[in-house]
Amino acid sequence: MTLPLAASSDTAGILTDLFLVLLAAKLGDEVFKRIGQPAIIGEILGGVLIGPSVLSWVEVSEVLRVFSELGVVFLLFWVGLETRLSEMRAVGRSAVSVGVAGAVVPFLAGLGAGLALGESTETAVFLGAALAATSAGITAATFIQLGIGRSRPARTVLGAAVVDDILALILLSVAVGMAAEGGVDAAKIGLALAVAVAFVSFVALGGTQLLQRRPRLLHAPRFSESPLLPAVILCLGLAAFAAGIGLAALIGAFLAGMVVAETKDQSSIEEEVRPLYAFFPPFFFAFIGIELDLGALLDAGALALLAGITVLAVAAKLVPAYLSARRLGRREAAIVGVGMTPRGEVGIVVASIGAAAGVVDEELFAVVVGMSILTTLIAPFVLRRLIRQPAGPAG
Amino acid sequence: MTLPLAASSDTAGILTDLFLVLLAAKLGDEVFKRIGQPAIIGEILGGVLIGPSVLSWVEVSEVLRVFSELGVVFLLFWVGLETRLSEMRAVGRSAVSVGVAGAVVPFLAGLGAGLALGESTETAVFLGAALAATSAGITAATFIQLGIGRSRPARTVLGAAVVDDILALILLSVAVGMAAEGGVDAAKIGLALAVAVAFVSFVALGGTQLLQRRPRLLHAPRFSESPLLPAVILCLGLAAFAAGIGLAALIGAFLAGMVVAETKDQSSIEEEVRPLYAFFPPFFFAFIGIELDLGALLDAGALALLAGITVLAVAAKLVPAYLSARRLGRREAAIVGVGMTPRGEVGIVVASIGAAAGVVDEELFAVVVGMSILTTLIAPFVLRRLIRQPAGPAG
């Protein structure tokens, strides 16, 4: 028989890590709230502080990664709970064009930049895929904190992020295929695309219809008086399934939230999910900071490359997204454009897959992580300014 | 720089594990509620079903162990929230005598049985330490589900479990010392004892006094409108500290709950902790089932040993605990006696430390795990009968 893993001694270490990460995130939040700046930046910087860049009190570990993943899962589950399918349909056209333009243009820009820098095609494809990523979590959290979580630009960004993630799945499959076998299996990628589109449509349409027809379905089990656990089980199941077919887990969580929102007493579910939404997401934000290793960026060449790639990453996402959302008016289009720029954890994941495949070297990895974090740090500040403009809140 | 651990691909695997464990636990709960049996047994059997004993869909992993640990942490945090220091003081004398008798007698019984079976002294000491353990989590959950979480016998068992855990810390230190260096460092063990007693007294007395004097302390931070996160950070911090000095993490969580219970609006904190209390503990119960490997027990010798050790474990805990609680009356004393018998995760942890130290072999390990689970499965059934006796609810 297998013995359980070493028991009580590392319990203390893991509980200490969780304690430190939550404490650092909330202290960062506290400081940033007091100086009137975006709270999630405070949480990320709390992670930078205790991570390898400064104090080295905690380092990247599997458990912290899982908590970070659950953080973005519960964040998007919460966003889904506040979203109706009909509202998503209302922004469908803009969302699709923003998502497509916001994935294709940065991919081509990254690919071109990689080739221009003299990298191999395989490496350049990874750089393109990293630039194509969008971190729906960062923008959604910023929108919620600014009180416009349900506004038209917020829903457009969210819908675009779903489209974008499906395209990113394809780009990443292409990148991995090229790195691994030196070729691309079109049939396999077509199948992945079909499965992803089928999953999203089936859950979004079938799931919401089912709950509309049987709004007390989540109340049926006797194991709890409230529908919280059935809803959470659905969320974890769809998140796991989404991750299993190559999408981001947060897409499944978002869809689960949207389905559950159709249940009988949605407001009581929101009340009950709120503590999970308070507990997990700080791990997600702080973990982004913990993944940063400033030491690896401390030379002139890397810094120059970081600056160039970051400017390219912002421009290649902002401009096409802005133009595609132009029909919403200049101000909302600008909010959408900026809202699409954070790469967050998705850019980091793409880079680490490339590193594992041996086509992204240490310097480029550090640069992509730095770019992901910089775009993530910039967006909330700009969004605050755009949204608090004299014109009044958008949406 | 260090690359993050392999990224997106095992995200799916871990989310699937969490999904399956929560689903299995709640399905077990559902079935057992419908047939009128103790729900936590259903959750444990849900874990047995998906674990290595039957379907092998999930296996013991670090992440599941952490979720299990957080399960018992949030379970005891919840119990602490419903407990007042004054109530604990009222049962102090009984609790201390139950705790001492309920740790010393089973230790001597296990030691004696080990020596009689021809085991080495080191191994016999580990067997004694495993029999001395008490799983406060199982009994607390049963008391809560039967609606007597705050009754006198419930508080007595809880107080006894704290005393018992301090003694278990000493016994385990002795056992590890003997296995590692072949000798016992009395000064080191005396220091561990002093630190443990000082920690418990300082937090229980100082913490509650502080919150009594400044009942709005947890409302001070701006990072959340509610005192939930400050309370959860305190819970994780004290749990980590307790684990760090060799106590069970749940002792820290219980003390944290008791301190937080002194805050201004305790009922709103309870409402907010409830979803965390609904989410995490099922992982704890199911994990006990996942740790069981029935295959290792399928021979006559092991089964006979298991039966003998289990009978010894029940008798050596029940009788002294009953006699020490005799002043509460026969019925309550019986509830206390039975409430002390489950060994749960604590017996398993002791056995795995012994296995890691090389003095507990595979068969004895499987027997101790089996004993821990059997005592855990028996107690809730007996408690239900005792508590639902015609005499009416206890306490």
Side-chain angles (χ1 to χ4, degrees), chain B residues 168-192:
Chain B
L169 161 68
I170 300 165
L171 295 175
L172 193 59
S173 311
V174 172
V176 171
M178 286 179 68
E181 302 130 40
V184 175
D185 184 342
K188 217 166 123 189
I189 289 169
L191 183 66

Side-chain angles (χ1 to χ4, degrees), chain A residues 4-5 8 11 14-15 19 26 29-30 33 62 65 67 69-70 221-223 233 237 249 272 275 353 365, chain B residues 4-5 8 11 14-15 19 26 29-30 33 62 65 67 69-70 221-223 233 237 249 272 275 353 365:
Chain A
L5 304 173
S8 57
T11 297
I14 289 169
L15 287 174
F19 163 69
K26 297 325 286 185
D29 178 342
E30 181 78 12
K33 279 225 176 82
E62 194 193 11
R65 183 176 294 286
F67 272 78
E69 191 67 34
L70 286 176
R222 289 196 205 164
F223 62 69
I233 290 172
E272 289 197 284
I353 294 174
F365 180 79
Chain B
L5 305 173
S8 56
T11 296
I14 288 168
L15 286 174
F19 164 69
K26 296 326 284 185
D29 178 342
E30 181 77 12
K33 278 226 176 81
E62 194 194 11
R65 183 176 295 285
F67 272 78
E69 191 66 34
L70 286 176
R222 288 195 207 166
F223 61 68
I233 291 173
E272 288 198 284
I353 293 174
F365 180 79

Side-chain angles (χ1 to χ4, degrees), chain A residues 30-362:
Chain A
E30 181 78 12
V31 170
F32 269 59
K33 279 225 176 82
R34 283 181 190 257
I35 61 175
Q37 298 302 326
I40 59 169
I41 304 296
E43 302 199 10
I44 296 173
L45 294 182
V48 172
L49 181 71
I50 59 169
S53 294
V54 186
L55 295 173
S56 287
W57 286 355
V58 296
E59 50 186 40
V60 169
S61 71
E62 194 193 11
V63 171
L64 288 184
R65 183 176 294 286
V66 171
F67 272 78
S68 157
E69 191 67 34
L70 286 176
V72 71
V73 160
F74 280 107
L75 178 61
L76 269 286
F77 183 55
W78 175 262
V79 173
L81 276 179
E82 301 211 313
T83 308
R84 293 296 174 132
L85 184 61
S86 52
E87 296 172 344
M88 291 304 293
R89 277 195 175 136
V91 297
R93 240 178 84 200
S94 309
V96 170
S97 50
V98 170
V100 172
V104 172
V105 176
F107 174 72
L108 295 176
L111 179 67
L115 295 174
L117 289 166
E119 302 281 359
S120 69
T121 316
E122 288 78 10
T123 305
V125 169
F126 262 101
L127 185 58
L131 262 60
T134 292
S135 172
I138 298 295
T139 303
T142 307
F143 284 149
I144 291 175
Q145 285 178 357
L146 293 170
I148 61 156
R150 298 187 69 157
S151 65
R152 194 166 59 171
R155 284 179 281 127
T156 307
V157 170
L158 218 58
V162 174
V163 174
D164 186 299
D165 196 63
I166 294 176
L167 294 175
L169 162 69
I170 301 165
L171 295 175
L172 194 59
S173 311
V174 172
V176 171
M178 286 179 67
E181 303 129 39
V184 175
D185 183 341
K188 216 167 124 190
I189 289 169
L191 182 67
L193 172 65
V195 171
V197 171
F199 167 71
V200 171
S201 336
F202 178 75
V203 175
L205 303 178
T208 49
Q209 283 228 341
L210 180 66
L211 266 281
Q212 272 164 10
R213 278 184 207 160
R214 300 199 47 200
R216 295 196 57 79
L217 195 61
L218 297 173
H219 295 258
R222 289 196 205 164
F223 62 69
S224 67
E225 292 131 43
S226 86
L228 172 71
L229 279 182
V232 167
I233 290 172
L234 181 71
C235 168
L236 286 179
L238 292 183
F241 192 85
I245 62 171
L247 288 173
L250 62 88
I251 300 272
F254 171 67
L255 293 174
M258 219 163 67
V259 169
V260 169
E262 302 291 342
T263 194
K264 191 77 184 175
D265 45 0
Q266 180 222 0
S267 66
S268 87
I269 283 223
E270 275 193 22
E271 274 315 299
E272 289 197 284
V273 173
R274 194 186 293 276
L276 294 169
Y277 166 65
F279 178 72
F280 282 109
F283 291 99
F284 166 63
F285 298 119
F287 192 70
I288 293 178
I290 294 169
E291 283 192 307
L292 178 69
D293 185 350
L294 283 174
L297 287 170
L298 284 185
D299 83 275
L303 279 180
L305 186 59
L306 172 61
I309 295 286
T310 304
V311 169
L312 185 70
V314 171
K317 201 83 165 183
L318 179 63
V319 175
Y322 174 83
L323 294 176
S324 312
R326 198 64 190 72
R327 75 174 68 102
L328 302 178
R330 282 173 66 168
R331 193 154 153 284
E332 291 198 8
I335 294 174
V336 169
V338 176
M340 293 294 289
T341 56
R343 300 309 195 278
E345 79 292 358
V346 194
I348 298 175
V349 166
V350 171
S352 55
I353 294 174
V359 299
V360 169
D361 65 16
E362 257 193 22

Side-chain angles (χ1 to χ4, degrees), chain B residues 283-304:
Chain B
F283 291 98
F284 165 62
F285 297 119
F287 191 70
I288 292 178
I290 294 170
E291 283 191 307
L292 178 69
D293 186 350
L294 282 174
L297 288 169
L298 284 185
D299 83 276
L303 279 180

Side-chain angles (χ1 to χ4, degrees), chain A residues 379-393:
Chain A
F381 286 104
V382 182
L383 283 174
R384 275 169 83 93
R385 288 188 172 252
L386 279 172
I387 288 160
R388 292 193 170 164
Q389 259 177 190

Side-chain angles (χ1 to χ4, degrees), chain B residues 62-73:
Chain B
E62 194 194 11
V63 171
L64 288 185
R65 183 176 295 285
V66 171
F67 272 78
S68 156
E69 191 66 34
L70 286 176
V72 71
V73 160

